[in-house]
Amino acid sequence: MTPRWAAPSIRARLTAWYAIVLTAMMIVYAAATFVAVRHEFLEQFDDQLHEDFETAEGLLIRTADGRVTWASDRRHGPDGDEGRLYEVWSADGKQIHRSGASVALPPIALASAGSSYRYETVAAGPERWRTLSAPVSIDGHAVVLRVSRSEQLLRYQLGEILLVLVLGLPPVVVLAGVGGSLLARRLLAPIEQLASEARRITAERLHERLTVSNPNDEIGRLTAVMNDAFARLESSFDQLRRFTADASHELRTPLAVVRGIGEAAVAQRRNPAEYEEAIGSLLEEVDRMTNLVDTLLRLSHADAGSIRLSREPLDLGQLAREVASSLAILAEERHQTLAVDTADGVIASADRLVLREAVTNVLDNAIKYSPVGSTVAIQLARLDHQALLAIADEGPGIATEHRERIFDRFFRVDEARSRDGGGAGLGLAIAKWAVDMHGGQITVGQRPGGGAEFRILLPLAHPASAAEGPHTTQLHLGGPL
Ligand code: ADP
């Protein structure tokens, strides 16, 4: 089995990042400090060397016998000073005087002595010496003076500084880690709190919301987004609950009817004709329930996003005429006239069966809810890039306050009246779903002479896509209808 490493927590990562960045900054800072200090030390060292040189140049004299020595008024002779060395070289490269440390430095390179000050670092065994040489004239005699200082003390001091800087780093790293961890904890505390609050909100307590401490910071915005999500969840849950309750309620009535018919039939002995009638009524109720259950199943599939549209170029005028002729029998029963007025060649890219159901439901309602002998008008027109299919009747119309909810599931304006017609209040919900799926819109308005007018707007098929032939689109539904 391969080992599974848990990803480190945000707090651990923040702490690590903080420590790494701070340490890197400290290293850069320490290195820069050291370089600057070293530069300054070396410069000062050369300045001191130069001072030594000038002092020596002023104090060296030539005795009558040609020797070079210190002037007699010099109180502190450099002899015995282990850190410094003064040498005087003759023009032909012979050492004619030396005083100070008893160290053996390499002989002076006359050719390179030149005419100006020459700084050099030379090695004397394990030690390094800094030298300054230049031609001088002692009492009118041209010689080369070389002043040297041991770099040992300087190196030692620089080493100390470096040591302090390096030794200072580990505590800084530790402090950075601790500081980073505390900082991360402080930063993440609101998230921890958010998590524990969110845990409290369950399906039963979806009405609760997270507290937004500061709506302007990142956590505040995250909280607001989560609250929005909870609000949407709550409304979806409510819808689902209502749907289930309504569906159960719808099924109860036909079941009660079935029970009633059955009980009445077995209550006493009856003749075959009566039994036949009872069974006929039972089958009718069963049909009604089957329809309802089918519709509910379709809606739940639609909710789950598992219904695929199989689109093809569809002549909407043809579709309207088809639906009208299939429902003509219902209109005839009620002595109604179906006035179909459709433009030709209005093509949408649509799923024939799904769209046909939408139009059927709307037309069926128009016939169902308008009076005997009235006229139902079906009109199709082309508007810019859209097709408009209007179905108008001479019925009671739909009051303004109901127009919003008319497309909700199980919504019926008049429970008693609709139930007689056999509707469960799902027809328009399905119609809306179908039209929405095609990128269209369904609205309801009032006809000028009274009566309802349902308007279905659908995007027209692009000429190019119309030529492509049938194709299938996967649907993704956002939520319950
Ligand atoms: P139903 O199956 O009850 O007809 P629908 O969803 O098709 O359900 O319609 C919802 C309600 O809208 C109906 O119960 C009815 O009250 C009202 N309604 C629908 N169409 C019309 C119409 N053309 N005229 C008047 N009322 C209508």
Side-chain angles (χ1 to χ4, degrees), residues 287-301 357 426 430:
D287 271 354
R288 197 186 280 208
M289 273 191 286
T290 311
N291 279 342
L292 182 61
V293 170
D294 280 351
T295 313
L296 288 178
L297 262 179
R298 282 166 48 70
L299 280 173
S300 93
H301 282 156
E357 188 173 7
L426 292 174
I430 293 220

Side-chain angles (χ1 to χ4, degrees), residues 56-381:
E57 186 183 5
L59 288 181
L60 283 172
I61 50 163
R62 210 175 135 83
T63 54
D65 55 359
R67 282 186 307 115
V68 173
T69 180
W70 296 110
S72 54
D73 63 338
R74 190 174 188 279
R75 280 184 204 133
H76 311 290
D79 313 84
D81 183 342
E82 273 307 306
R84 294 182 227 188
L85 174 65
Y86 304 86
E87 295 157 290
V88 179
W89 298 75
S90 68
D92 54 0
K94 280 195 200 101
Q95 196 181 56
I96 48 180
H97 170 85
R98 67 169 285 154
S99 56
S102 54
V103 65
L105 296 186
I108 198 161
L110 276 184
S112 61
S115 60
S116 58
Y117 293 115
R118 180 183 164 80
Y119 289 94
E120 254 181 314
T121 301
V122 297
E127 269 188 47
R128 288 155 74 83
W129 285 68
R130 186 82 173 149
T131 69
L132 170 58
S133 49
V136 294
S137 137
I138 298 176
D139 299 333
H141 193 76
V143 289
V144 177
L145 172 61
R146 179 164 80 170
V147 181
S148 314
R149 261 175 179 251
S150 163
E151 283 188 1
Q152 204 176 6
L153 183 64
L154 173 79
R155 302 257 160 217
Y156 174 75
Q157 283 170 337
L158 284 177
E160 291 270 278
I161 292 173
L162 189 63
L163 191 70
V164 168
L165 288 176
V166 169
L167 287 185
L169 265 180
V172 166
V173 174
V174 170
L175 278 179
V178 173
S181 170
L182 289 177
L183 196 76
R185 183 202 294 222
R186 257 191 89 96
L187 277 177
L188 295 175
I191 294 187
E192 290 279 341
Q193 198 197 332
L194 206 64
S196 77
E197 269 195 53
R199 217 170 286 134
R200 223 186 47 221
I201 300 181
T202 55
E204 277 65 49
R205 302 168 73 169
L206 266 181
H207 58 277
E208 290 189 18
R209 293 290 174 269
L210 306 170
T211 25
V212 182
S213 42
N214 176 4
N216 296 322
D217 66 10
E218 289 79 354
I219 306 265
R221 286 200 291 275
L222 173 68
T223 317
V225 169
M226 287 174 75
N227 277 341
D228 276 356
F230 283 132
R232 281 199 301 272
L233 254 182
E234 189 188 5
S235 97
S236 297
F237 257 71
D238 279 354
Q239 233 167 331
L240 204 67
R241 268 194 208 118
R242 228 180 312 132
F243 182 70
T244 318
D246 288 346
S248 324
H249 181 79
E250 281 312 313
L251 283 168
R252 260 165 89 152
T253 320
L255 280 173
V257 175
V258 166
R259 189 188 184 91
I261 297 171
E263 280 173 353
V266 296
Q268 59 186 86
R269 248 189 150 25
R270 294 175 186 278
N271 59 39
E274 282 172 327
Y275 281 128
E276 249 171 49
E277 198 195 324
I279 292 172
S281 307
L282 283 181
L283 288 179
E284 230 172 70
E285 281 309 313
V286 168
D287 271 354
R288 197 186 280 208
M289 273 191 286
T290 311
N291 279 342
L292 182 61
V293 170
D294 280 351
T295 313
L296 288 178
L297 262 179
R298 282 166 48 70
L299 280 173
S300 93
H301 282 156
D303 286 351
S306 58
I307 293 185
R308 284 164 175 265
L309 282 194
S310 123
R311 289 176 183 254
E312 57 183 324
L314 183 67
D315 187 315
L316 295 177
Q318 207 187 333
L319 179 80
R321 286 193 295 275
E322 236 176 75
V323 174
S325 77
S326 75
L327 295 186
I329 178 81
L330 297 179
E332 250 169 52
E333 277 174 8
R334 299 172 62 84
H335 307 290
Q336 291 163 333
T337 312
L338 293 186
V340 187
D341 172 15
T342 55
D344 271 335
V346 183
I347 313 282
S349 163
D351 184 310
R352 169 178 288 273
L353 290 181
V354 173
L355 207 56
R356 190 193 156 107
E357 188 173 7
V359 179
T360 305
N361 288 355
V362 175
L363 186 57
D364 183 43
N365 279 347
I367 295 170
K368 224 165 36 179
Y369 296 115
S370 52
V372 172
S374 61
T375 299
V376 176
I378 303 150
Q379 279 178 312
L380 175 67

Side-chain angles (χ1 to χ4, degrees), residues 365 368-369 393 398 406 411-413 417-418 423-425 427-428:
N365 279 347
K368 224 165 36 179
Y369 296 115
D393 62 51
I398 286 149
I406 198 93
F411 179 80
R412 285 185 294 239
V413 173
R417 187 187 65 184
S418 301
L428 288 180

Side-chain angles (χ1 to χ4, degrees), residues 450-469:
E453 182 178 52
F454 283 85
R455 296 156 69 89
I456 298 176
L457 274 172
L458 285 169
L460 285 175
H462 196 267
S465 76
E468 277 172 17

